[in-house]
Amino acid sequence: MPEKCIFLDIDNTLYSAGTGISAAMGKKIHEYFVNFGFDEAEATELHLKYYTQYGLALRGLIMHHNVDPVDFDKKCDGSLPLEDLIKPNPRLRTLISDIDRTKASVWALTNAYRPHAERVLRILNVDDLIDGLIFCDYQQPNFVCKPDAQYYHQALAKAQVSDPSNCYFVDDSRLNVKAARALGWGHVAHFCETGLVHVEGGKVKEISGDRQVEAMSGIDVITDLEELRKIWPEVFISLS
């Protein structure tokens, strides 16, 4: 196997936050809270609280309300009109195709459940370019997700990476990339579409990043995935 491993986040990374998927997802999750029995204010409060504390609102619902995660996935991720929101991306396909597979394998690394992750990759027409998928297994009791350290350790084990310094990772979440960098992942990039808005924990936020601060932590900040060619030239096929 190649010595290096590239981990690509999926949602709001392989497609732009401008698609509105995070807003659609936030609405579905809010509706789930309300249909579960919370009033509008409680639903809003708990959605943000659980997302902030556990990385996924679903984890809080499981821990405190015994929610069936598969039912949650069916009614939230599974009900999104993804085909209307994202389309095949030739530019993304070329970028991933240009990674030198003699040097690096390519894995998707997501907090979503397998069906959603596979669906997005298929719609984007890059599913055949991904060597492996790390996802949150909702059928496993006490499953972990980014930015939990155990999630990253499990990812290394599944991808058979023994040295975290050989990891390359890009994610739209500052928390997720900081967690990976703290664990010694060698090449970490924060995909930051500054100025766009997305939804986190049901709350609308403007995307922002501080290149200087994150650079001091060994994290690159990029606004376009094409910039990976510049910051990770060693893993791409040389055109010279």
Side-chain angles (χ1 to χ4, degrees):
M1 293 183 63
E3 182 179 83
K4 305 178 189 303
C5 186
I6 298 172
F7 292 101
L8 306 172
D9 175 47
I10 295 179
D11 291 305
N12 289 327
T13 298
L14 295 188
Y15 59 79
S16 172
T19 60
I21 290 178
S22 66
M25 172 56 68
K27 183 178 179 181
K28 292 287 186 182
I29 296 175
H30 181 80
E31 290 173 354
Y32 193 93
F33 273 93
V34 172
N35 291 334
F36 192 75
F38 298 105
D39 62 34
E40 294 285 340
E42 289 177 315
T44 298
E45 178 184 356
L46 289 177
H47 185 176
L48 180 60
K49 178 181 178 181
Y50 291 162
Y51 174 84
T52 303
Q53 287 185 341
Y54 305 117
L56 283 175
L58 172 58
R59 291 185 74 196
L61 284 168
I62 294 171
M63 295 173 66
H64 301 291
H65 310 285
N66 200 33
V67 159
D68 176 1
V70 177
D71 177 70
F72 175 93
D73 181 70
K74 179 180 178 181
K75 294 176 179 176
C76 294
D77 280 28
S79 66
L80 290 173
L82 295 179
E83 289 79 4
D84 297 332
L85 298 170
I86 53 177
K87 302 297 178 184
N89 185 340
R91 190 165 176 255
L92 174 65
R93 183 172 179 84
T94 298
L95 176 70
I96 298 176
S97 296
D98 285 347
I99 293 171
D100 188 339
R101 299 311 175 98
T102 67
K103 297 178 180 178
S105 57
V106 179
W107 288 62
L109 188 71
T110 179
N111 275 352
Y113 191 28
R114 180 194 287 272
H116 173 81
E118 291 180 337
R119 187 179 168 203
V120 173
L121 294 173
R122 184 173 62 254
I123 295 171
L124 292 173
N125 191 32
V126 296
D127 53 315
D128 61 315
L129 302 178
I130 303 299
D131 297 312
L133 173 64
I134 310 293
F135 60 95
C136 288
D137 189 348
Y138 290 178
Q139 297 195 48
Q140 292 295 320
N142 303 316
F143 69 86
V144 292
C145 65
K146 296 177 287 185
D148 192 301
Q150 186 180 347
Y151 180 96
Y152 296 92
H153 295 321
Q154 291 178 355
L156 296 186
K158 289 180 181 178
Q160 299 182 44
V161 178
S162 58
D163 183 356
S165 69
N166 287 325
C167 290
Y168 292 71
F169 176 46
V170 59
D171 196 301
D172 69 293
S173 165
R174 182 183 290 107
L175 288 177
N176 292 346
V177 295
K178 286 180 67 176
R181 192 73 186 99
L183 292 170
W185 286 33
H187 310 267
V188 178
H190 179 203
F191 177 56
C192 182
E193 297 179 291
T194 305
L196 293 184
V197 296
H198 65 159
V199 175
E200 287 187 352
K203 184 177 180 180
V204 177
K205 297 178 62 177
E206 181 175 311
I207 298 173
S208 63
D210 191 322
R211 287 181 179 269
Q212 184 176 1
V213 170
E214 294 185 47
M216 291 173 63
S217 301
I219 298 171
D220 290 296
V221 179
I222 62 174
T223 59
D224 188 317
L225 291 183
E226 284 292 321
E227 294 179 64
L228 295 178
R229 297 180 188 273
K230 296 180 180 179
I231 63 172
W232 300 344
E234 66 275 14
V235 296
F236 283 91
I237 297 171
S238 175
L239 300 179
S240 60

